[in-house]
Amino acid sequence: MNYHEIWSSAREELRRSTRISVDEFDLRIKNIHIRESEDGVMTLVAPSAFDTYWLIENYSSDIEAALFRAAGTQVEFRIVEPSGNEEVSAEPVSDFRVREAEASLFSMPSVPASRPSPVKAAVRPPSIDSRYTFQNFVASAENDLAFSAAMNVAMQPKESAFNPIFFFGPTGVGKTHLMHAIANKIFDDRQAKGLPPYKIVYVTSEAFTNDFLNTVLREKNAVEFHRRYREADVLLVDDIQFFGGKGQMQEAFFHAFNDLITRRSQVILTSDRPANDIVGLEDRLVSRFQSGLSADIQPPSFETRLAILRQKADDRRFDYRRYAGVLEFVAENISHSVRDLEGAVNTLTAFVNVRKPATLPLETVEHLLQSQIVKNHTKRIDVEAIQRRVAEYYKVPESKMKMKDRTAQVAFARQVAMYLCGELTDMKLVAIGAAFGGRDHGTVIHARKTIRDRMDVDAETKRDVEYLKKQLSGYRM
């Protein structure tokens, strides 16, 4: 069958689907038509721009499955909105003519197109953790863009407008959870529709590096290494910041990345910092990592922490409603990492299951979680950590923070670091000055005023300093 026949057959299956109402079919799907395509991809033209978005968001998997069954093989397709000179009639042909054409198609005496045999139940790749899904991810203002992008690419992994996706943020804010959620939804959707599984490869940067060392450098088997990654339909690489400074490995990833993007495979990356802040990462990789969508994930607010705690408690059947104020106390005292919040719930659940207390006083909770609370309350941001991060960001040697170097770039970076020391630590002015090569407190006052004044008139300076402040506040130094 040609594309028009395939779509006619698929459309009839969609019309009979119990998942799609009669009104939805008549309004959105019935009037889709085929546009001639030169690249071997079936182009389905929706009635309007809104219908295009609606179909992609809600029924792309149903359409893919219907096309698969109609053609007897997987059909690459895209859903597009009408072009300016392309009018889509609300009634391209009468209902009678549609039914007549479809009836003649299905009653043709020729040998029917072969239908695929049922797809065997695929095994979920062992590297994908099935516990992490979109259903148990707490979406919030701190991760809204990242969550939306993740959902978008999980629903249409070969058609997403975002490629690559680059999630960045401090440890424990949910980047890895989103990676596994994407992989799980793609895998589960393909299974539910009876479609062949996509090849999904999830790997940490450390595992990728070790694989490169063992397979390419030691075993001299570059072909196997390339096959493993370049043939992926979806490649997810966690903690990409550890690629910095590894020249040969970056070369291998550069070529794999280009192949995947050319093949319209989806690439998803995570890092603890923006791509252009990864020390030792080649410019060509920075450029490619920034060519898609970059989404910042910040540490959770109090409200988000409380929502996470409630969800984790429900998952573990910890009846927090019996113990008023307990989760609020935890949310107030453990503020940085979702993993720490999860650990706190695990500790409380174990205690309650074993001791079965009638009440759970906050003094008991504080005692049980003492090590985690102390870790969160301890001032983990010190002057050395601030100097190191600011020097990295402004690309100046860290040692010059304490020197008499007065070049404009170094002096400005030093002033930013002094400003952040005043904002993020309890250090006195004299102590801050001493940490910067024995400068006096007047120099520190001047530096902080200079940065405040510049932030008032220079949007770029304000953006950079606020970004560094947020990043340092969320990081475990």
Side-chain angles (χ1 to χ4, degrees), residues 162-181:
F162 311 128
N163 202 13
I165 289 182
F166 190 97
F167 299 130
F168 67 94
T171 299
V173 294
K175 303 186 299 295
T176 299
H177 187 141
L178 279 181
M179 296 271 271
H180 288 285

Side-chain angles (χ1 to χ4, degrees), residues 38 85 88 124 202 236 331 352 374 451:
E38 297 179 355
N85 58 358
V88 180
R124 192 182 309 271
Y202 167 84
L236 308 102
V352 168
V374 168
I451 297 303

Side-chain angles (χ1 to χ4, degrees), residues 23-36:
D23 289 342
E24 286 176 337
F25 177 84
D26 287 342
L27 185 62
R28 315 287 187 195
I29 298 174
K30 179 179 177 181
N31 296 315
I32 290 174
H33 72 269
I34 301 289
R35 180 191 294 169
E36 293 300 324

Side-chain angles (χ1 to χ4, degrees), residues 164-221:
I165 289 182
F166 190 97
F167 299 130
F168 67 94
T171 299
V173 294
K175 303 186 299 295
T176 299
H177 187 141
L178 279 181
M179 296 271 271
H180 288 285
I182 292 168
N184 280 313
K185 180 165 179 57
I186 292 171
F187 179 86
D188 291 339
D189 283 355
R190 302 288 293 182
Q191 284 282 85
K193 300 301 179 184
L195 297 170
Y198 279 146
K199 181 179 181 182
I200 303 173
V201 177
Y202 167 84
V203 65
T204 64
S205 63
E206 180 183 11
F208 184 93
T209 302
N210 290 337
D211 196 6
F212 174 76
L213 293 173
N214 292 326
T215 308
V216 177
L217 299 186
R218 293 197 183 106
E219 299 174 9
K220 308 298 182 185
N221 192 352

